[in-house]
Amino acid sequence: MGDNAADNTVDQVQKSLADIKDTVNRSIKAVEQKIVELGTKHNELSQKFENSFKENQRFGSAAEDEASQRMKKFGEFLRSRSGMKLQLVTRDDPVTGNTATDAQGGYAVPFILDREILKKERDLNVMRQLCSNMSVSSPDTAWNIDLGGTTSGWVGETDTRSQTDAPQLGRATITWGEVFAMPQATQYLLDDAAFDVESWYTESVAEEFADKEEEAFLVGNGTNKPKGILSYTFNTSADASRDVDKLQKVSGALTFDSILSLYYAVRQVYRRPGDCTWLMNGATIEALRKLKDEQNRYIWVDNLANGMAGTLLGCPVYESRYMPDASTNGNLAVLFGNFKKAYRIVDRLGLQVIRDPYSVKGQVAFYTAKRVGNVLTDNCAVKALAVSV
């Protein structure tokens, strides 16, 4: 009887081993099948990727060739000896489909030229460095501005949620103007094959645009030019009780206490590290560099290691010669806050260039014009110190 029990046990073990072996074999086959399927899928995706890469290369090369040809045509236009008008566009005209082809007296110029001028402007124009910048294709673009008014509350897990007030929205439109520059070069210089006429043109136009625009973005009156941030109405009303087109000012002498008052007038939500900056002219910077706190320590801290000329209360200081002096009673001599939230600079896509070899014999002028505007997007983000002497 003991032998029978042992035989039964052996049979059961052998049967279990056979079942396990069968299960393992089925699992191995399933894995092998899955590997085959994944391999097939991998090959399909690899082929698609390769085809897509080749297609992108083909179109990329075609685009580069087209841009190169257009830049060459633009160089020919600058060097030509006739007076003509050129419409520089960055994309097809949405209305007429006109891309400024030869039949219209010019050629479409690669968008990098327009972008290069804007890039150089940002390097030269302190307001373009501090504020938000964007390009649009339509002059009718507008923004909704949050006027506040949203309400909220606390509830328990099973409490009824009552409806809260929605935010009130206001509409801000762009104040447009047309800025122009007219760099000049001699025809002899333009005829010189070694002269990099495209770089000369972009640098000359950018320099002239940058200076005119910086002035307008600060003190422009809004007539045929952007409305400068200092041209808006400033009063002492708090953020919650001030209209969306009015900003707040703090009055006081150019002292350490006034600087502190201006700093803390900007709410903490706008004063996160790296968000806020100071803006003033050179004479005001000189005066502030001489200010000391109660311990006779200079409040100005040089920070040349980080590429900044200095900081006040941990925020970088920028200079513009178009900021008012601090010597006249009531001048808004110092601005502080988050400029990117407060003020947006808007560029209309495209430039117009007229080549004029006639007005001054032997000299060629390139009349260049573009549309640029602004919109005040957050009147709580930047505040001014009205200096009382």
Side-chain angles (χ1 to χ4, degrees), residues 8-24 26:
N8 290 336
T9 301
V10 170
D11 290 341
Q12 291 175 359
V13 170
Q14 290 177 341
K15 186 175 183 305
S16 297
L17 289 174
D19 291 341
I20 293 172
K21 183 178 180 179
D22 184 57
T23 300
V24 170
R26 287 198 303 269

PDB file of all heavy atoms in Angstrom, residues 8-24 26:
ATOM      1  N   ASN A   8       1.511   7.084  -6.757  1.00  0.00           N
ATOM      2  CA  ASN A   8       0.534   8.149  -7.022  1.00  0.00           C
ATOM      3  C   ASN A   8       1.170   9.532  -6.878  1.00  0.00           C
ATOM      4  O   ASN A   8       0.901  10.457  -7.656  1.00  0.00           O
ATOM      5  CB  ASN A   8      -0.649   8.030  -6.065  1.00  0.00           C
ATOM      6  CG  ASN A   8      -1.505   6.811  -6.384  1.00  0.00           C
ATOM      7  OD1 ASN A   8      -1.493   6.329  -7.529  1.00  0.00           O
ATOM      8  ND2 ASN A   8      -2.233   6.306  -5.389  1.00  0.00           N
ATOM      9  N   THR A   9       2.030   9.655  -5.859  1.00  0.00           N
ATOM     10  CA  THR A   9       2.696  10.934  -5.641  1.00  0.00           C
ATOM     11  C   THR A   9       3.606  11.278  -6.806  1.00  0.00           C
ATOM     12  O   THR A   9       3.648  12.427  -7.292  1.00  0.00           O
ATOM     13  CB  THR A   9       3.512  10.903  -4.344  1.00  0.00           C
ATOM     14  OG1 THR A   9       2.633  10.623  -3.243  1.00  0.00           O
ATOM     15  CG2 THR A   9       4.222  12.236  -4.113  1.00  0.00           C
ATOM     16  N   VAL A  10       4.355  10.278  -7.298  1.00  0.00           N
ATOM     17  CA  VAL A  10       5.245  10.498  -8.435  1.00  0.00           C
ATOM     18  C   VAL A  10       4.448  10.902  -9.672  1.00  0.00           C
ATOM     19  O   VAL A  10       4.820  11.818 -10.419  1.00  0.00           O
ATOM     20  CB  VAL A  10       6.096   9.244  -8.718  1.00  0.00           C
ATOM     21  CG1 VAL A  10       6.837   9.376 -10.033  1.00  0.00           C
ATOM     22  CG2 VAL A  10       7.067   8.999  -7.576  1.00  0.00           C
ATOM     23  N   ASP A  11       3.308  10.215  -9.883  1.00  0.00           N
ATOM     24  CA  ASP A  11       2.470  10.536 -11.038  1.00  0.00           C
ATOM     25  C   ASP A  11       1.958  11.975 -10.962  1.00  0.00           C
ATOM     26  O   ASP A  11       1.920  12.704 -11.971  1.00  0.00           O
ATOM     27  CB  ASP A  11       1.279   9.569 -11.102  1.00  0.00           C
ATOM     28  CG  ASP A  11       1.716   8.148 -11.479  1.00  0.00           C
ATOM     29  OD1 ASP A  11       2.841   8.009 -12.025  1.00  0.00           O
ATOM     30  OD2 ASP A  11       0.929   7.217 -11.214  1.00  0.00           O
ATOM     31  N   GLN A  12       1.559  12.386  -9.751  1.00  0.00           N
ATOM     32  CA  GLN A  12       1.043  13.743  -9.582  1.00  0.00           C
ATOM     33  C   GLN A  12       2.128  14.789  -9.842  1.00  0.00           C
ATOM     34  O   GLN A  12       1.891  15.817 -10.486  1.00  0.00           O
ATOM     35  CB  GLN A  12       0.479  13.921  -8.170  1.00  0.00           C
ATOM     36  CG  GLN A  12      -0.811  13.128  -7.919  1.00  0.00           C
ATOM     37  CD  GLN A  12      -1.281  13.239  -6.483  1.00  0.00           C
ATOM     38  OE1 GLN A  12      -0.641  13.885  -5.658  1.00  0.00           O
ATOM     39  NE2 GLN A  12      -2.402  12.574  -6.183  1.00  0.00           N
ATOM     40  N   VAL A  13       3.346  14.476  -9.323  1.00  0.00           N
ATOM     41  CA  VAL A  13       4.454  15.404  -9.540  1.00  0.00           C
ATOM     42  C   VAL A  13       4.787  15.507 -11.012  1.00  0.00           C
ATOM     43  O   VAL A  13       4.993  16.601 -11.561  1.00  0.00           O
ATOM     44  CB  VAL A  13       5.688  14.965  -8.733  1.00  0.00           C
ATOM     45  CG1 VAL A  13       6.926  15.769  -9.144  1.00  0.00           C
ATOM     46  CG2 VAL A  13       5.436  15.105  -7.232  1.00  0.00           C
ATOM     47  N   GLN A  14       4.829  14.345 -11.685  1.00  0.00           N
ATOM     48  CA  GLN A  14       5.138  14.349 -13.110  1.00  0.00           C
ATOM     49  C   GLN A  14       4.064  15.093 -13.908  1.00  0.00           C
ATOM     50  O   GLN A  14       4.369  15.845 -14.854  1.00  0.00           O
ATOM     51  CB  GLN A  14       5.273  12.916 -13.625  1.00  0.00           C
ATOM     52  CG  GLN A  14       6.524  12.198 -13.116  1.00  0.00           C
ATOM     53  CD  GLN A  14       6.599  10.757 -13.592  1.00  0.00           C
ATOM     54  OE1 GLN A  14       5.579  10.166 -13.997  1.00  0.00           O
ATOM     55  NE2 GLN A  14       7.793  10.162 -13.520  1.00  0.00           N
ATOM     56  N   LYS A  15       2.801  14.917 -13.520  1.00  0.00           N
ATOM     57  CA  LYS A  15       1.716  15.613 -14.195  1.00  0.00           C
ATOM     58  C   LYS A  15       1.828  17.131 -13.989  1.00  0.00           C
ATOM     59  O   LYS A  15       1.645  17.926 -14.920  1.00  0.00           O
ATOM     60  CB  LYS A  15       0.365  15.117 -13.690  1.00  0.00           C
ATOM     61  CG  LYS A  15      -0.845  15.701 -14.447  1.00  0.00           C
ATOM     62  CD  LYS A  15      -2.124  15.067 -13.954  1.00  0.00           C
ATOM     63  CE  LYS A  15      -3.324  15.599 -14.753  1.00  0.00           C
ATOM     64  NZ  LYS A  15      -3.420  17.050 -14.731  1.00  0.00           N
ATOM     65  N   SER A  16       2.145  17.529 -12.739  1.00  0.00           N
ATOM     66  CA  SER A  16       2.296  18.949 -12.453  1.00  0.00           C
ATOM     67  C   SER A  16       3.442  19.542 -13.244  1.00  0.00           C
ATOM     68  O   SER A  16       3.350  20.653 -13.797  1.00  0.00           O
ATOM     69  CB  SER A  16       2.536  19.166 -10.948  1.00  0.00           C
ATOM     70  OG  SER A  16       1.421  18.740 -10.192  1.00  0.00           O
ATOM     71  N   LEU A  17       4.567  18.771 -13.320  1.00  0.00           N
ATOM     72  CA  LEU A  17       5.710  19.249 -14.098  1.00  0.00           C
ATOM     73  C   LEU A  17       5.352  19.398 -15.569  1.00  0.00           C
ATOM     74  O   LEU A  17       5.770  20.358 -16.239  1.00  0.00           O
ATOM     75  CB  LEU A  17       6.898  18.295 -13.931  1.00  0.00           C
ATOM     76  CG  LEU A  17       7.577  18.303 -12.549  1.00  0.00           C
ATOM     77  CD1 LEU A  17       8.633  17.209 -12.477  1.00  0.00           C
ATOM     78  CD2 LEU A  17       8.201  19.663 -12.291  1.00  0.00           C
ATOM     79  N   ALA A  18       4.564  18.451 -16.083  1.00  0.00           N
ATOM     80  CA  ALA A  18       4.140  18.525 -17.482  1.00  0.00           C
ATOM     81  C   ALA A  18       3.257  19.735 -17.720  1.00  0.00           C
ATOM     82  O   ALA A  18       3.381  20.428 -18.741  1.00  0.00           O
ATOM     83  CB  ALA A  18       3.404  17.231 -17.870  1.00  0.00           C
ATOM     84  N   ASP A  19       2.357  20.022 -16.747  1.00  0.00           N
ATOM     85  CA  ASP A  19       1.480  21.193 -16.875  1.00  0.00           C
ATOM     86  C   ASP A  19       2.301  22.487 -16.863  1.00  0.00           C
ATOM     87  O   ASP A  19       2.062  23.421 -17.652  1.00  0.00           O
ATOM     88  CB  ASP A  19       0.454  21.219 -15.737  1.00  0.00           C
ATOM     89  CG  ASP A  19      -0.562  20.089 -15.859  1.00  0.00           C
ATOM     90  OD1 ASP A  19      -0.693  19.544 -16.982  1.00  0.00           O
ATOM     91  OD2 ASP A  19      -1.216  19.771 -14.848  1.00  0.00           O
ATOM     92  N   ILE A  20       3.281  22.517 -15.951  1.00  0.00           N
ATOM     93  CA  ILE A  20       4.132  23.709 -15.862  1.00  0.00           C
ATOM     94  C   ILE A  20       4.919  23.893 -17.146  1.00  0.00           C
ATOM     95  O   ILE A  20       5.033  25.006 -17.680  1.00  0.00           O
ATOM     96  CB  ILE A  20       5.077  23.588 -14.653  1.00  0.00           C
ATOM     97  CG1 ILE A  20       4.273  23.643 -13.340  1.00  0.00           C
ATOM     98  CG2 ILE A  20       6.140  24.679 -14.685  1.00  0.00           C
ATOM     99  CD1 ILE A  20       5.083  23.354 -12.110  1.00  0.00           C
ATOM    100  N   LYS A  21       5.478  22.781 -17.664  1.00  0.00           N
ATOM    101  CA  LYS A  21       6.247  22.852 -18.901  1.00  0.00           C
ATOM    102  C   LYS A  21       5.382  23.331 -20.057  1.00  0.00           C
ATOM    103  O   LYS A  21       5.803  24.180 -20.870  1.00  0.00           O
ATOM    104  CB  LYS A  21       6.828  21.473 -19.220  1.00  0.00           C
ATOM    105  CG  LYS A  21       7.716  21.453 -20.459  1.00  0.00           C
ATOM    106  CD  LYS A  21       8.286  20.073 -20.677  1.00  0.00           C
ATOM    107  CE  LYS A  21       9.177  20.058 -21.924  1.00  0.00           C
ATOM    108  NZ  LYS A  21       9.760  18.710 -22.147  1.00  0.00           N
ATOM    109  N   ASP A  22       4.154  22.840 -20.102  1.00  0.00           N
ATOM    110  CA  ASP A  22       3.238  23.249 -21.164  1.00  0.00           C
ATOM    111  C   ASP A  22       2.906  24.745 -21.055  1.00  0.00           C
ATOM    112  O   ASP A  22       2.880  25.477 -22.056  1.00  0.00           O
ATOM    113  CB  ASP A  22       1.952  22.418 -21.082  1.00  0.00           C
ATOM    114  CG  ASP A  22       0.996  22.740 -22.220  1.00  0.00           C
ATOM    115  OD1 ASP A  22       1.410  22.617 -23.391  1.00  0.00           O
ATOM    116  OD2 ASP A  22      -0.152  23.151 -21.945  1.00  0.00           O
ATOM    117  N   THR A  23       2.686  25.208 -19.812  1.00  0.00           N
ATOM    118  CA  THR A  23       2.392  26.624 -19.585  1.00  0.00           C
ATOM    119  C   THR A  23       3.575  27.495 -19.980  1.00  0.00           C
ATOM    120  O   THR A  23       3.418  28.537 -20.632  1.00  0.00           O
ATOM    121  CB  THR A  23       2.040  26.859 -18.100  1.00  0.00           C
ATOM    122  OG1 THR A  23       0.898  26.067 -17.754  1.00  0.00           O
ATOM    123  CG2 THR A  23       1.742  28.337 -17.840  1.00  0.00           C
ATOM    124  N   VAL A  24       4.773  27.035 -19.591  1.00  0.00           N
ATOM    125  CA  VAL A  24       5.981  27.795 -19.933  1.00  0.00           C
ATOM    126  C   VAL A  24       6.167  27.859 -21.445  1.00  0.00           C
ATOM    127  O   VAL A  24       6.496  28.911 -22.012  1.00  0.00           O
ATOM    128  CB  VAL A  24       7.214  27.183 -19.251  1.00  0.00           C
ATOM    129  CG1 VAL A  24       8.503  27.811 -19.798  1.00  0.00           C
ATOM    130  CG2 VAL A  24       7.147  27.362 -17.736  1.00  0.00           C
ATOM    131  N   ARG A  26       3.868  27.674 -23.752  1.00  0.00           N
ATOM    132  CA  ARG A  26       2.893  28.590 -24.328  1.00  0.00           C
ATOM    133  C   ARG A  26       3.290  30.048 -24.092  1.00  0.00           C
ATOM    134  O   ARG A  26       3.137  30.902 -24.970  1.00  0.00           O
ATOM    135  CB  ARG A  26       1.497  28.322 -23.730  1.00  0.00           C
ATOM    136  CG  ARG A  26       0.846  27.034 -24.232  1.00  0.00           C
ATOM    137  CD  ARG A  26      -0.660  27.047 -23.976  1.00  0.00           C
ATOM    138  NE  ARG A  26      -0.959  27.227 -22.564  1.00  0.00           N
ATOM    139  CZ  ARG A  26      -1.119  26.235 -21.701  1.00  0.00           C
ATOM    140  NH1 ARG A  26      -0.969  24.980 -22.130  1.00  0.00           N
ATOM    141  NH2 ARG A  26      -1.391  26.467 -20.441  1.00  0.00           N
TER     142      ARG A  26
END
